[in-house]
Amino acid sequence: MFSLKALQKNRTLKYGVPMLLLVVGGSFGLREFTQIRYDAQKIKRKSLSQLLPKNLSSQLDPSLEARVDVQKQSVILEQEYQKMETANLDEWKNIRGPRPWEDSREYQEQQRSRHNAKTDLGKEEKY
């Protein structure tokens, strides 16, 4: 069958198999280390929410508080869904913002003047 020397000379076994083991083993190792990280953050958040008095926790942003308190997450989602239902998505406008190399104040003034010119034209047509 195969001799030991033939297996040692085979490049696939010499370089490919260790590489595959490193990639697959590394992904499992990274998964475990990142899970430890997220578990530690979760424990820290729980201890923080337990240490905060209720009047201070009510002063937090509701979305941040929902991240800490799992029971409030569904309430926040329902509120966001209701906001989306009431939003008028048929009449939205895509407004271009200033680029990093442009002066934002100058660009905002141009946008305001264009908007005012359009609204002035609309008012004149009505009369």
Side-chain angles (χ1 to χ4, degrees), residues 57-58 62 65-67 69-77:
S57 66
S58 64
E65 191 175 356
R67 286 184 183 173
D69 190 8
V70 178
Q71 294 172 348
K72 292 185 180 182
Q73 286 180 352
S74 63
V75 176
I76 297 293
L77 286 175

Side-chain angles (χ1 to χ4, degrees), residues 9 16 20-21 37 41 47-48 67 85 87 102-103:
K9 289 182 180 180
L20 284 175
L21 288 175
R37 174 183 166 201
Q41 288 177 355
S47 65
L48 179 65
R67 286 184 183 173
E85 280 183 333
E102 296 176 340
D103 184 20

